[in-house]
Structure formats: C-alpha cells, structure tokens
Amino acid sequence: MSLQISDISKSFKDLKALKHISLEVRENELFGLIGPDGAGKTTLFRILASLLLPDEGQANVAGFDVIKDYKQLRKNIGYMPGKFSLYQDLTVEENLNFFATIFNSSIEENYDLIKDIYVQIEPFKKRKAGDLSGGMKQKLALSCALIHKPKVLFLDEPTTGVDPVSRNEFWGMLKKLQKKGITIFVSTPYMDEAALCDRIAFINQGEILQVDTPSAIVKNFAKQVLNIQTPSIYKALRVLGSYQHTHSIYPFGESLHYMDSRKDFDWNEVLNHLRNEKIKDVEGELISPEIEDVFMELSRN
Amino acid sequence: MKIVFIIIRKEFKQIFRNKAMLPIIFVLPLLQLIILSNAATYEVDNIQVAYIDYDKSLSSRKLIEHIKGSSYFENPVYFESPALAEEAILKDKVDLVLEIPNHFEKDIQNASHPRVAVRINAIDGATAGVQNVYIQKIISNFNKTIQLESYNPAQQSLNYSSIESVTSFWYNQNLNYKTLMVPGILVLIITMLTLFLSSMNIVREKEIGTLEQINVTPIKKWQFIVGKLFPFWMIGLVLLSIGLLIAKLVFNTPMLGSTLLIYAYTSLYLLVILGMGLFISNFTDTQQQAMFIAWFFVVIFILMSGLFTPIESMPVWAQNLTQLNPVAYFVEIMRMIMLKGSTFKDTGVIFMKTFIYALVMNFLAVWSYQKKN
C-alpha cells in the first residue's frame, strides 16, 4: 500500500471538515479524489502532506506515518497545492533550482523525470514565474514538486482554472509519470477527469461515499438515466421538479438528466407529461449513466 | 548550512529584484537622516518680540538694544498699546510682548525695584519656557550693566554680593542639537526598517502560499528562520555604516568611542528587533496586519526612547516601561559611545540587558513559530 488512511477526522471549530475517512491507495496507482468545493479534499491533502494534524485517526504515506515520521515523509512526497505557490519574483530556473537544492538534489540528477514537462517551459526559463501563463505556471509547479523524485505525488485540484486543452495535456503527463513508478493522488471537482483515474473516491461533506474503478462505479449504478433536451430547460426543470414520479432531476450541460422513482418506467410518459405542460420541442433518450450521475445520486443521500 | 545559504541567496535575489524596495531600503532612510537631523532641533530662535515702551527713556532703549543684540531674537517691533500687541500675538506674528512701564528709568535710579511685564505665547509650552529663560537672561544681563554704570564707590557697602553661576556643557559644548539628534535618528531608521522588513517578510510567504510549499520540504525551521532573517541583519549593519558615514561627512558628528563597539552593539541589538519581527509575523496573516502591529510598537518605542523627551522627566511608571524599550538602550548607547567615548566597561550593563532581551525575544519568537506552524 502506498497510502493508508484510517479513521481520519478533522474539525475546524464547528465545521466537521472530515468525518472518519478511511482509504487505501495502491502502489503506483493513479487515484482520484472527486468532490465538489468544500467537500474536504484540501483538508485531507494537507493532513497527508503533514501540514495539518488530524484530530483523530492515522495515516501512512509511502510507509511513513504522517505525524511521527513527518521528516522522512516530506523527503518522499511531492505536493502541489491548488493555489500557485512558487516564488513569483524568481525565474523559472531559479525556482526549480531552489527546490532541487533544498531537497539536496539538482536539476540534472532527476532531469529525465521532469524532462517531458520541463522542455515545454524551458524556452522561458529566464522569465519570472509570476509572468508565466496559467498553464505554464502549472507545469512549473509540477516540475518543482517532482524535482526530488518523490514516491507519492499529491496534486490538489491541479486543473482548476486551466483551459480544456491544457487539462487534457496535463492528464497525459500524469499517465506518463505513473509509468515511471510514481503513485499519484489527485483531487478534482471535474467529473469528466474521474474517468481518467485508475480508481476514484467520491467525497462530499467530509465523508467518502464510494471507492471503486470508474467503470465499475458506472456499471453498478442501478438507476436508468433519461437525457432530456428542450430549448426551455428552466421551465422543464420546474415542471419535473413537481412531477409525482421524479426521483431526481438536474441540469447536465445543455440538457437535463432525469431519474424515475419507479424501477421500470416508460420514458415516453415523462416526455409526454412535459409536452402536456406546454414545453416545446421536447426530445429525450435513455443513456448509460456517467460518473457525475452517480455522484449526484450518492450526494443526494 | 548549505540550505541556510541557499535561502539567504534566494532572499537577497528577491530583495534586489524588487525595484520599488531597493530605494525604500537604502535611499529613503538616508534622506530621512539628512532631513530630520537638520529639522528636528530643540533650538528656539527667531523669537519675535513686541515691545511697548511707556517710559521712552535711555534705559528702556538700552534694554531693547540688548534684545536686538541677541542672536536668538529678531529685531523687536514697537507697538503703541498692549491691545495692539496682544492682537499681534493672536495672529501669531509675535511670540513675546515686553511692556516697559512709566518711571522705569526713575525706578532704576532710585533703586526701587523697576519692573517690566513679559507676556509669552505658551501654546507650545516647551518653547515658551525656553523663550522665558532667554528673556530673563537678557534682563539680568541688562541689570548687571546698569549696576556697573551706576557703580558708586561711596555706596559700596550697599552693594550686595551675588552668586554667579558659570555653566559649561559637557559632551556637547556648543549645545549643537544635530550632534544629539544624528545618532538618535540613525537608531530610529535602523530599527524601523529592520522591524518592518522582517515582520513583513515571513508573512509575505504565508500570504502568497509559499510557506506551505516550504513546509513540505525537509527544510528545518531554524534553517528557514535564520535564512530569512540574516539578510535583514546584514541590511541593518549596512545602514549603520552608511549612516555613520553621513554623520561624519555631512554633520561632522564626533566619534569619541570605538566604532567597533557600536558595530558589536548593533549586531546584538538587531537580534532583538529581528526576533520581534518574527514574533509579529507569527501572529499575523497578511503584510498589512504585520505592518500595523509593527507601527504600533515603533511609535511607542520612538516616543518613549528619550530621543524627543528625556526619559528622566517621564512619570515613574513610564520610566519603568522604557526598560522594555530596545530603542531607548540603543539611543543611549549610541550617544554614550559617540559623544562621551564610553568603553565596553561603561556600557556593559546595557550590553547585558540587550543580550537578555535578545534571548527572551528570540525564544518567544521561535516558540510561537513552532506553535503556529
């Protein structure tokens, strides 16, 4: 096991940020922690990175206890916080050099690990970190987190605020790093990124809802999902909100996702109900549920 | 040690890269030194006297001549009536009104206690006090001259003998206020700058989130603290050097004692201030908060340092409080060494107190740093 979390709790005054979290991440796994803002993701990351003490419970990262062996632990993990936190007034090269040196390493020593990422920002190595674009800042932060060849890499919402193309590229880089033997623990509020992980854990309001591979999570989902398209989404949402058989209804991109409270149901009946309520151009089809549907369902309870 | 060195190098890079900060650190303080030392003096001169002369005699004119002759006074202006003179005081055109009554000369000749009235604008009490001393001195000088003039050997027995005091001002013979102010203001500048910079510096890492990144590295806390504070210790000493140079070249301030002793004390003193800066930064989350707290202390330290008001004239509780004021020690020791030529033997007690202060302050700072982070 690369990561063992058992019964971790943490409160901030009245707010219970984490409630008895237990989780295991295998060696060399790309593990995703999926949850909305305020679910407790960052708190868990800070505990695992030895920046915060849990109120209860134990955690073990790469064989080191986060409380007792924090000194050893820090040598063996890479942590990239959600907020860009390198020195903005130092250049790309100086930042990288600084972090390499304080880990008693050098850029040359682990160059092959960061090469794929660093070559993309190397043309700008004399530029101050503060003057980089968002995507390049992220690459620099990742390089700095990797420069000491950590066993476990913690990435706290690395793609928040990054454009879709760069996000794709970023996940490509993570896959490559995984092949080099690094265990990656990544959090994200984007459900579409969950499918790219080996296994995921849903977290909401400080509780782990489910842990499994993305495909198994979708496969084991019992409900059928009806995808409804109409130009008047808001009206349809209101109508189905007070429909007697509605189990759940929520906007999903440009359409609505509907789940019925009955085990078997005729989806045409639902569409007709909408049409009877004078909603124009209603179309719909049954689709296989996506990860977001599962999460919406889990977080309802 | 290598890690400490790396942090120090990083810190200096950041300081020297900050184009706005460099002049703030090196140019502004020295401008302050030059401007304040010239401007902040206790000297009271250019006193404007108005006089009302009812007597219009030789003696009254002689008294006015005495005032004219003094370098502290402007040429006295004549007013017809006390009302007009009072109006001039009200309009701030005149500082002092001298009223010479009728029979002034006659009273002198008859030796029957001649009197003059002096009215002083005392909005600023300290200045008014000094003006009073000056005018008294002039009147008593005048007194002496007329006694000499009316000296009559036959009346010798009537002459009472008076005690005359002859004052000499030690360590600052000409009562040159710049000599007094320059070492003091240099102390203020060093204190302000190092306290502000050090307290804001660590908070800044908190504010922009880099402290968290540092905390997940194997950097030890002492390495980080030493690495962060050492540059400001250096800057403090560099400022001292430039300041002493200006004191010598621009103000020609004497340096009777050992310069080395001043450096030794400053090195120790800066530890107190840097510890204080670290302490402040541990209890604040933003540079703004740190700045305000540092200001709070600096204002108290400066006003109670003995630089602007003598510590001896403060109430006892305030005097006891200045025992905790590092600036007071520094001001005292600078004056002792520069103006009096005190040696380590004379200043040993202050050295000891500062040393203890530095120990306590840094212990508190490191302790709270560990607790908070």
Side-chain angles (χ1 to χ4, degrees):
Chain A
M1 282 303 152
S2 197
L3 210 76
Q4 257 177 322
I5 305 168
S6 51
D7 206 31
I8 289 270
S9 293
K10 179 76 190 175
S11 299
F12 299 105
K13 291 189 182 140
D14 296 337
L15 179 80
K16 286 197 165 150
L18 295 176
K19 302 167 195 163
H20 305 286
I21 299 265
S22 293
L23 207 58
E24 284 187 344
V25 175
R26 293 176 200 128
E27 206 79 48
N28 201 16
E29 197 169 26
L30 175 53
F31 191 95
L33 188 65
I34 320 289
D37 289 340
K41 300 192 295 291
T42 299
T43 307
L44 183 58
F45 268 82
R46 287 169 52 87
I47 289 174
L48 296 177
S50 78
L51 289 171
L52 200 64
L53 292 176
D55 297 338
E56 280 176 66
Q58 285 179 317
N60 212 297
V61 176
F64 303 108
D65 188 280
V66 292
I67 303 165
K68 275 182 249 135
D69 311 320
Y70 74 95
K71 279 182 186 158
Q72 283 302 312
L73 171 101
R74 287 175 181 179
K75 284 181 193 156
N76 287 288
I77 61 162
Y79 173 54
M80 184 174 147
K83 190 181 148 206
F84 181 73
S85 51
L86 299 176
Y87 294 101
Q88 314 248 5
D89 45 359
L90 295 183
T91 65
V92 168
E93 202 179 20
E94 284 165 346
N95 264 301
L96 200 56
N97 251 323
F98 178 74
F99 283 100
T101 325
I102 54 182
F103 277 105
N104 235 330
S105 175
S106 65
I107 297 184
E108 292 75 33
E109 204 173 313
N110 293 314
Y111 189 71
D112 56 306
L113 191 65
I114 59 161
K115 194 179 154 211
D116 289 340
I117 308 157
Y118 189 57
V119 286
Q120 300 177 49
I121 48 173
E122 209 165 9
F124 313 104
K125 64 180 181 184
K126 298 281 179 212
R127 194 183 285 187
K128 282 182 196 166
D131 297 337
L132 293 175
S133 71
M136 286 200 280
K137 273 185 185 166
Q138 182 207 38
K139 281 170 195 148
L140 174 60
L142 185 59
S143 302
C144 287
L146 281 170
I147 194 65
H148 56 293
K149 204 169 197 276
K151 290 194 182 112
V152 182
L153 186 59
F154 290 102
L155 306 168
D156 189 9
E157 302 201 11
T159 53
T160 301
V162 177
D163 69 85
V165 178
S166 301
R167 269 168 61 189
N168 254 330
E169 203 182 52
F170 189 78
W171 279 90
M173 291 189 285
L174 294 191
K175 289 277 184 197
K176 272 189 189 166
L177 287 174
Q178 190 191 5
K179 287 205 184 80
K180 287 175 180 163
I182 295 175
T183 308
I184 301 172
F185 190 65
V186 59
S187 77
T188 176
Y190 301 120
M191 302 292 164
D192 55 333
E193 291 182 343
L196 302 167
C197 301
D198 294 340
R199 282 196 311 146
I200 53 174
F202 283 132
I203 183 169
N204 195 24
Q205 293 181 352
E207 280 172 298
I208 298 281
L209 304 174
Q210 196 175 1
V211 185
D212 214 330
T213 63
S215 53
I217 281 188
V218 175
K219 209 169 75 190
N220 296 336
F221 191 56
K223 288 266 178 210
Q224 284 181 305
V225 177
L226 174 63
N227 188 46
I228 302 168
Q229 281 179 312
T230 164
S232 40
I233 281 198
Y234 180 66
K235 252 165 110 184
L237 189 67
R238 242 182 26 204
V239 168
L240 288 177
S242 51
Y243 182 53
Q244 54 171 331
H245 297 300
T246 301
H247 174 71
S248 67
I249 175 83
Y250 46 87
F252 193 96
E254 305 248 293
S255 49
L256 291 174
H257 278 189
Y258 169 86
M259 288 183 226
D260 203 276
S261 55
R262 294 161 291 182
K263 199 160 177 99
D264 292 302
F265 73 105
D266 180 8
W267 51 275
N268 273 313
E269 191 188 318
V270 179
L271 296 183
N272 282 331
H273 174 72
L274 281 175
R275 288 182 189 118
N276 289 338
E277 293 285 333
K278 299 195 182 90
I279 291 180
K280 281 174 248 157
D281 305 325
V282 179
E283 280 176 62
E285 55 178 340
L286 276 185
I287 54 164
S288 45
E290 293 186 34
I291 287 175
E292 185 163 349
D293 296 311
V294 182
F295 181 76
M296 291 302 278
E297 180 57 27
L298 285 171
S299 53
R300 267 169 58 86
N301 309 323
Chain B
M1 269 336 271
K2 188 182 161 206
I3 286 178
V4 175
F5 175 71
I6 295 286
I7 299 172
I8 291 172
R9 203 179 59 184
K10 174 207 101 164
E11 216 53 48
F12 270 121
K13 260 186 199 163
Q14 288 180 303
I15 292 168
F16 286 110
R17 200 160 286 174
N18 195 333
K19 292 281 175 286
M21 213 59 187
L22 267 188
I24 292 178
I25 295 180
F26 291 109
V27 180
L28 287 187
L30 301 170
L31 274 180
Q32 269 178 322
L33 179 64
I34 293 173
I35 294 172
L36 284 180
S37 303
N38 276 310
T41 92
Y42 298 123
E43 278 177 51
V44 177
D45 48 13
N46 306 327
I47 307 168
Q48 185 62 61
V49 176
Y51 69 98
I52 301 140
D53 188 357
Y54 291 119
D55 199 40
K56 295 208 174 74
S57 61
L58 195 64
S59 300
S60 67
R61 242 167 290 147
K62 260 190 199 153
L63 178 56
I64 301 302
E65 286 303 316
H66 264 90
I67 296 174
K68 268 187 199 165
S70 159
S71 59
Y72 296 112
F73 291 89
E74 297 280 302
N75 267 351
V77 281
Y78 175 74
F79 280 89
E80 289 290 340
S81 71
L84 285 172
E86 264 163 38
E87 205 183 305
I89 283 198
L90 216 58
K91 285 183 180 155
D92 237 354
K93 294 210 171 103
V94 168
D95 302 305
L96 189 154
V97 177
L98 179 72
E99 199 178 321
I100 304 170
N102 236 338
H103 311 304
F104 178 61
E105 195 170 42
K106 229 186 219 169
D107 285 345
I108 292 174
Q109 285 159 356
N110 297 344
S112 62
H113 291 295
R115 286 160 188 265
V116 290
V118 175
R119 265 165 270 164
I120 303 175
N121 174 2
I123 283 199
D124 179 349
T127 310
V130 176
Q131 288 172 346
N132 183 38
V133 171
Y134 288 166
I135 196 84
Q136 293 300 338
K137 189 128 191 181
I138 284 179
I139 292 171
S140 76
N141 273 341
F142 172 75
N143 227 355
K144 253 182 255 162
T145 23
I146 52 171
Q147 267 178 22
L148 278 176
E149 278 170 12
S150 61
Y151 176 67
N152 185 344
Q155 286 181 309
Q156 200 175 9
S157 55
L158 286 174
N159 240 348
Y160 53 88
S161 65
S162 64
I163 299 171
E164 191 185 356
S165 63
V166 179
T167 318
S168 93
F169 296 100
W170 279 29
Y171 311 124
N172 188 357
Q173 285 173 356
N174 306 321
L175 282 183
N176 181 346
Y177 279 97
K178 278 173 202 156
T179 305
L180 189 69
M181 291 311 273
V182 171
I185 288 171
L186 183 54
V187 164
L188 296 194
I189 289 165
I190 293 173
T191 309
M192 265 168 35
L193 216 76
T194 44
L195 183 64
F196 288 162
L197 287 176
S198 61
S199 62
M200 282 166 64
N201 188 265
I202 291 180
V203 175
R204 185 160 168 263
E205 297 240 2
K206 248 194 240 181
E207 213 174 34
I208 58 179
T210 44
L211 190 61
E212 196 143 280
Q213 197 78 64
I214 291 288
N215 280 348
V216 287
T217 66
I219 290 185
K220 291 187 186 69
K221 291 208 164 99
W222 71 266
Q223 292 170 326
F224 185 66
I225 294 173
V226 172
K228 291 289 286 181
L229 295 183
F230 180 79
F232 297 110
W233 187 78
M234 288 281 294
I235 287 175
L237 290 179
V238 170
L239 267 180
L240 175 73
S241 313
I242 305 177
L244 287 178
L245 216 63
I246 289 186
K248 185 76 215 162
L249 297 179
V250 179
F251 297 105
N252 201 18
T253 317
M255 170 60 93
L256 299 178
S258 132
T259 317
L260 205 68
L261 195 60
I262 289 188
Y263 274 93
Y265 182 79
T266 311
S267 312
L268 186 64
Y269 172 80
L270 284 172
L271 295 182
V272 179
I273 298 300
L274 294 177
M276 215 171 263
L278 177 62
F279 191 67
I280 291 173
S281 69
N282 289 340
F283 290 95
T284 49
D285 293 316
T286 64
Q287 293 183 69
Q288 201 182 33
Q289 292 169 0
M291 187 77 184
F292 273 106
I293 294 184
W295 254 118
F296 171 80
F297 283 111
V298 160
V299 167
I300 293 179
F301 285 167
I302 290 178
L303 291 183
M304 294 182 72
S305 65
L307 185 59
F308 296 110
T309 48
I311 291 175
E312 291 78 7
S313 58
M314 292 177 191
V316 177
W317 61 265
Q319 287 192 30
N320 291 336
L321 221 59
T322 58
Q323 294 282 326
L324 290 174
N325 185 352
V327 179
Y329 293 130
F330 199 7
V331 168
E332 191 181 349
I333 216 161
M334 281 288 259
R335 285 176 174 171
M336 281 172 85
I337 297 174
M338 287 176 80
L339 310 182
K340 250 165 124 174
S342 301
T343 59
F344 182 71
K345 229 173 90 189
D346 309 315
T347 52
V349 178
I350 301 181
F351 259 90
M352 202 58 216
K353 280 182 180 170
T354 311
F355 178 68
I356 293 169
Y357 205 153
L359 273 185
V360 172
M361 205 61 238
N362 282 287
F363 171 77
L364 281 177
V366 172
W367 172 74
S368 63
Y369 182 84
Q370 271 165 349
K371 218 178 144 204
K372 289 265 168 180
N373 297 294

